[in-house]
Amino acid sequence: TGVRDQSLVAITSGANCTFDRLRLLAERALLGQRSEALFATRMKDEPGAMLRLYGAIAPRNVTELVYRSSGTSQGKATIFVSVELTGVKEGMRVPQERAEEEVAEVIDNLRKVEITASDLSSNELAKSHMRYMSGGSKPESGELLYRFEFPEQPGALKKFLELFNKHPSWNMTLLHYRYRGAEVSKVLTGIHVPEGERPAFDDFLAELGYHYVDETNNLVYQEFCD
């Protein structure tokens, strides 16, 4: 251009990046810079197991959790869970060595509560497909499907699990949670509540205090989730 002795600023435009692609870019960036780790866990499919999983991961933030009951009383559940590593500094990459140490620590903590785990942060099949295909089919009867809005703040998932765990006769059959960076996270749950305990379940919803929608009769659920 012939310009000399002047300060110039180069601008990289994002005009070719649509909003539809931003979530993918952000998700892959978290895994790529090792601020988030993706695990596949295997544990006995029984009441209280989810809270045990959460306790082994804490105080780290759970950013995604995908679970579907195996449908058998003595079955094993495969749960995909993404965890924010505590070495994260805003806007900075977590050192690889520190990230690997923390991943190993999480796996060891899970092992201590009889949960096996594998780090799938670099597994393309897991990142693109398998994390959305976890679990078995819908129970034959008795499952309630509820969609919640969790406040996007530390402890929101823990509160839900702790209140739920006060009712040992209830069984969680599905849980899909993903941190979205908004004011609330949309969470889908499947819950089996024995006959006669619906009033107690209503009390649970009131005590929880999160916005919810009963999706049990939703056509999509009824027709496509068998």
Side-chain angles (χ1 to χ4, degrees), residues 28-102:
R28 291 307 179 91
L30 288 172
L31 290 170
Q33 68 184 7
R34 265 319 213 179
S35 58
E36 183 180 86
L38 174 65
F39 299 94
T41 66
R42 292 275 287 174
M43 65 183 186
K44 189 173 181 181
D45 199 358
E46 60 184 359
M50 196 70 66
L51 188 59
R52 194 165 72 245
L53 171 72
Y54 185 92
I57 292 172
R60 300 169 184 86
N61 291 328
V62 174
T63 55
E64 181 177 18
L65 198 155
V66 181
Y67 159 75
R68 184 49 155 159
S69 173
S70 64
T72 60
S73 59
Q74 300 298 322
K76 290 281 187 177
T78 299
I79 300 173
F80 285 91
V81 56
S82 293
V83 178
E84 183 182 71
L85 302 181
T86 56
V88 173
K89 294 182 179 179
E90 187 172 352
M92 296 181 63
R93 181 188 180 95
V94 179
Q96 184 70 20
E97 183 177 350
R98 174 69 188 100
E100 296 304 326
E101 289 175 355
E102 187 166 359

Side-chain angles (χ1 to χ4, degrees), residues 66-170:
V66 181
Y67 159 75
R68 184 49 155 159
S69 173
S70 64
T72 60
S73 59
Q74 300 298 322
K76 290 281 187 177
T78 299
I79 300 173
F80 285 91
V81 56
S82 293
V83 178
E84 183 182 71
L85 302 181
T86 56
V88 173
K89 294 182 179 179
E90 187 172 352
M92 296 181 63
R93 181 188 180 95
V94 179
Q96 184 70 20
E97 183 177 350
R98 174 69 188 100
E100 296 304 326
E101 289 175 355
E102 187 166 359
V103 166
E105 181 181 332
V106 171
I107 292 175
D108 187 55
N109 288 344
L110 291 167
R111 180 187 55 79
K112 291 176 181 177
V113 293
E114 300 181 346
I115 300 173
T116 60
S118 302
D119 177 23
L120 300 183
S121 303
S122 300
N123 189 305
E124 187 62 31
L125 178 62
K127 291 187 291 185
S128 296
H129 301 287
M130 298 308 295
R131 69 199 296 179
Y132 307 112
M133 300 171 65
S134 176
S137 59
K138 182 175 69 174
E140 291 184 3
S141 63
E143 183 180 62
L144 304 175
L145 191 74
Y146 273 73
R147 178 164 51 85
F148 290 91
E149 290 185 355
F150 284 17
E152 201 59 83
Q153 61 189 30
L157 178 59
K158 180 182 179 182
K159 177 183 177 181
F160 174 85
L161 293 174
E162 287 182 337
L163 288 177
F164 185 90
N165 210 46
K166 292 180 179 179
H167 304 273
S169 61
W170 300 359

